[in-house]
Amino acid sequence: GEFEENLNSKFDLIFLDYRPIARRVYWLEKLENSLSVTGALVVDDVHKEHMRIPMLIKYKNKLERVVHLKSLTLDKRNRYSFFITNC
């Protein structure tokens, strides 16, 4: 659709809060490729194992790019986010 057509652009900041959560893993790589050189991606709801585990596997050799935002984003339902830099 129109959204995917615009992924050829480069973005400084992307917030990934796509529903259903299971589809976020699919969108992760597509959105990461749309980041500018100094861009960042905030991935919400990584408290869900089916989101967090694939992300940690994907970034296992690039963990310096992943910032755990649990201390900043944790809510009453134990939901939190990750911040992924592109550099």
Side-chain angles (χ1 to χ4, degrees), residues 4 7 9 11 14 20 23 32 34-35 37 39 41 46 48 53 56 61 63 66 72 74 81:
E4 284 191 74
L7 288 180
S9 302
F11 300 95
I14 298 172
R23 293 290 291 160
E32 182 185 29
S34 295
L35 289 173
V37 175
L41 174 63
V46 292
K48 300 277 189 179
I53 291 171
L56 292 174
N61 294 323
L63 286 178
V66 179
L72 297 172
L74 185 66
S81 304

Side-chain angles (χ1 to χ4, degrees), residues 8-47:
N8 293 328
S9 302
K10 294 297 180 186
F11 300 95
D12 294 324
L13 179 66
I14 298 172
F15 190 89
L16 178 55
D17 192 17
Y18 189 87
R19 294 282 186 250
I21 291 175
R23 293 290 291 160
R24 289 186 197 171
V25 173
Y26 166 81
W27 283 104
L28 182 62
E29 189 163 336
K30 289 181 175 290
L31 294 175
E32 182 185 29
N33 291 333
S34 295
L35 289 173
S36 67
V37 175
T38 58
L41 174 63
V42 177
V43 182
D44 198 27
D45 296 323
V46 292
H47 65 286

Side-chain angles (χ1 to χ4, degrees), residues 59-67 83-85 87:
Y59 291 102
K60 69 180 177 184
N61 294 323
K62 309 177 223 176
L63 286 178
E64 69 280 356
R65 293 179 49 202
V66 179
V67 179
F83 182 84
I84 302 168
T85 64
C87 52

Side-chain angles (χ1 to χ4, degrees), residues 1-3 5 13 15 23 36 39 46 48 50 54 67 71 73 78 80 82-83 86-87:
E2 182 181 343
F3 178 73
E5 291 170 13
L13 179 66
F15 190 89
R23 293 290 291 160
S36 67
V46 292
K48 300 277 189 179
H50 63 274
V67 179
S71 64
T73 61
N78 286 326
Y80 58 94
F82 279 174
F83 182 84
N86 201 26
C87 52

